Amino acid sequence: NRARSLNKACNRVLLWVYSTIVQCHDKKNIRAQLEMNKTLFLLLQVITCSLPLVGTGLFAYILFATVGDSSITEWSVSSAFASYPDYQQLLIVLIIASSIIFATTAIRNIQVRIWFRRRYGNYLTSCCRKQQPTNGSNGQLSQGSAAYLAFMNDFGSFVNIAAYVAFILLAAYPSGTGTPSIQRIHNGSSVSYFSLSLLYGILQTLLTCKQKHYPKFVTVIQIVLVISTAALSLAYVYTFFFTDTPLYITEWLAVVLNLVFVAFFAVLFHYDSAADELVEYACPCCCH
């Protein structure tokens, strides 16, 4: 009996030692995994915050590289593009910069989607029935309100992508350098770019007003940018179509303010981690 008891005691000690070693090994693996996840998350955060600045910065560099020694009061953006020696290469770089802006637009769309999901539930579910808002908000969310927010986000993203596609066409078909059909394409692209980019700014500003977790200065800056862009765009379109002396400077400034609006997404991605929301969107189970 004593031998059996001693044998059992030894087995228990060995089992405890083995389990302790395994747990320590598992903890080390878990710590290493957590450290790697933190590094990857930090890298993703840096990338998401940098994309708006890289895309718009490259776009702005292309714009003012076309000016050279001239003045932005002398010719339009498309004419400056057309007179650039390496015009075809410039268009390629413009497409790359626009693609980065497309990616930024998509990230902002996902960010709003995750905010919507956390607060109101799934898009389609919220549009089909009333749901109780969470995160401490009071009152019922009506069907119309949920559908309105979802529509602003998705439609706005499509509008901004279409706006920069129109800008590429505007640059590819410059004014006064081709047939009447090319001129019509240029005019239509010009109107489309300014109207669609302005519409996107309005929709995004309305969405930001709904997102109370951002500081007030974020909404104020967006409102100022939208109003300024609207005034400059209207001034350019009016002088271009209805006067003999277009105010080209208003076109340049309107394009720059549109870029500033998109670049400002870096602040939104910083205050409300876009990296965290991208991970949740791609793999919801990873966030639990």
Side-chain angles (χ1 to χ4, degrees), residues 116 120-131 141 143 146:
F116 188 98
Y120 301 129
N122 183 270
Y123 268 33
L124 294 178
T125 305
S126 298
C127 293
C128 294
R129 67 183 184 188
K130 294 182 178 181
Q131 289 201 10
L141 175 68
Q143 174 183 347

Side-chain angles (χ1 to χ4, degrees), residues 13-33:
V13 171
L14 290 174
L15 182 61
W16 176 81
V17 171
Y18 175 77
S19 62
T20 302
I21 293 173
V22 171
Q23 287 178 4
C24 290
H25 181 70
D26 289 342
K27 287 180 180 178
K28 288 181 180 179
N29 288 339
I30 291 172
R31 290 195 191 100
Q33 187 67 33

Side-chain angles (χ1 to χ4, degrees), residues 20-68:
T20 302
I21 293 173
V22 171
Q23 287 178 4
C24 290
H25 181 70
D26 289 342
K27 287 180 180 178
K28 288 181 180 179
N29 288 339
I30 291 172
R31 290 195 191 100
Q33 187 67 33
L34 288 174
E35 290 298 325
M36 185 177 68
N37 289 342
K38 287 180 181 178
T39 303
L40 292 175
F41 181 82
L42 180 61
L43 179 62
L44 184 59
Q45 179 71 358
V46 171
I47 292 173
T48 53
C49 289
S50 301
L51 272 180
L53 302 176
V54 172
T56 56
L58 181 60
F59 205 104
Y61 174 79
I62 296 168
L63 280 179
F64 290 99
T66 61
V67 178

Side-chain angles (χ1 to χ4, degrees), residues 5 11 41 171 198 278:
S5 299
N11 289 337
F41 181 82
L198 179 60
L278 282 175

Side-chain angles (χ1 to χ4, degrees), residues 32-259:
Q33 187 67 33
L34 288 174
E35 290 298 325
M36 185 177 68
N37 289 342
K38 287 180 181 178
T39 303
L40 292 175
F41 181 82
L42 180 61
L43 179 62
L44 184 59
Q45 179 71 358
V46 171
I47 292 173
T48 53
C49 289
S50 301
L51 272 180
L53 302 176
V54 172
T56 56
L58 181 60
F59 205 104
Y61 174 79
I62 296 168
L63 280 179
F64 290 99
T66 61
V67 178
D69 298 330
S70 303
S71 172
I72 58 176
T73 61
E74 297 175 359
W75 50 12
S76 66
V77 173
S78 61
S79 298
F81 269 82
S83 64
Y84 194 76
D86 297 325
Y87 178 62
Q88 298 297 329
Q89 294 182 3
L90 199 69
L91 279 179
I92 293 173
V93 180
L94 178 64
I95 292 172
I96 294 173
S98 299
S99 299
I100 298 175
I101 293 177
F102 296 161
T104 301
T105 304
I107 293 172
R108 175 58 180 160
N109 178 276
I110 291 172
Q111 188 182 46
V112 175
R113 277 176 172 263
I114 296 300
W115 166 81
F116 188 98
R117 179 193 297 171
R118 291 171 179 172
R119 187 175 178 85
Y120 301 129
N122 183 270
Y123 268 33
L124 294 178
T125 305
S126 298
C127 293
C128 294
R129 67 183 184 188
K130 294 182 178 181
Q131 289 201 10
Q132 181 70 28
T134 57
N135 296 341
S137 58
N138 298 317
Q140 292 285 344
L141 175 68
S142 68
Q143 174 183 347
S145 298
Y148 178 64
L149 292 174
F151 172 80
M152 281 198 299
N153 185 40
D154 290 341
F155 180 68
S157 299
F158 169 78
V159 160
N160 196 46
I161 292 173
Y164 281 91
V165 170
F167 189 94
I168 294 172
L169 293 175
L170 180 152
Y173 297 94
S175 174
T177 59
T179 63
S181 60
I182 291 179
Q183 184 64 40
R184 285 194 294 271
I185 293 174
H186 172 83
N187 293 344
S189 300
S190 178
V191 173
S192 298
Y193 168 74
F194 286 110
S195 58
L196 293 177
S197 58
L198 179 60
L199 177 59
Y200 180 68
I202 293 171
L203 293 174
Q204 277 298 315
T205 303
L206 291 174
L207 278 171
T208 307
C209 290
K210 293 287 186 179
Q211 297 179 292
K212 303 300 182 182
H213 55 283
Y214 288 119
K216 290 185 178 179
F217 80 88
V218 172
T219 305
V220 171
I221 291 176
Q222 285 190 328
I223 291 173
V224 170
L225 287 173
V226 168
I227 293 175
S228 302
T229 304
L232 291 168
S233 299
L234 291 173
Y236 173 68
V237 170
Y238 177 80
T239 57
F240 182 83
F241 286 104
F242 301 105
T243 68
D244 296 329
T245 55
L247 293 176
Y248 293 126
I249 189 173
T250 59
E251 179 192 23
W252 288 87
L253 293 177
V255 173
V256 169
L257 287 184
N258 280 327
L259 293 175

Side-chain angles (χ1 to χ4, degrees), residues 1-11:
N1 292 333
R2 290 181 180 178
R4 289 181 180 178
S5 299
L6 182 61
N7 188 33
K8 288 182 179 180
C10 290
N11 289 337

